[in-house]
Every structure is written in structure tokens, then in C-alpha cells.
Amino acid sequence: MCPVDPALRELAARLLTGTGLSPEVALDVACGRVAAPGPVAAALRDGWTAADPGEGSL
């Protein structure tokens, strides 16, 4: 995985506040590496898979 810009990671952490997910877990859920434990995680997974090919891929 490529390194993430610290400012982008901070923004992701702020957006995930209150969800119980860290940016790392959110990425794993979105990629399908771990099961979605709740509605926010399910939305991440569904949004990631609905993205156009190439969008959101690492």
C-alpha cells in the first residue's frame, strides 16, 4: 500500500469520528478484507464496490 498523506489521514479520521472505525479499518472494510461490522462500514463497502473501475482503487 502506498503511504497516505498525513493531512488526508487526519481528514479521514475526522470524518470517521463517532463511527467506531479508524482510517485503517475503514480501508480494510471498503476493500472487503474484513467484514462490515455496522451500517457505516457496510456503506463504505457498498460505496467502494459501486465506484467506477479505477476510482477508489489503490
Side-chain angles (χ1 to χ4, degrees):
M1 179 187 331
C2 61
V4 176
D5 180 286
L8 180 59
R9 189 189 184 295
E10 181 181 337
L11 175 61
R14 289 175 52 206
L15 291 171
L16 292 166
T17 299
T19 66
L21 298 173
S22 69
E24 294 78 19
V25 172
L27 179 61
D28 286 341
V29 168
C31 293
R33 290 190 286 257
V34 298
V40 171
L44 283 169
R45 182 203 58 227
D46 294 345
W48 187 274
T49 57
D52 291 335
E55 282 190 36
S57 60
L58 297 176

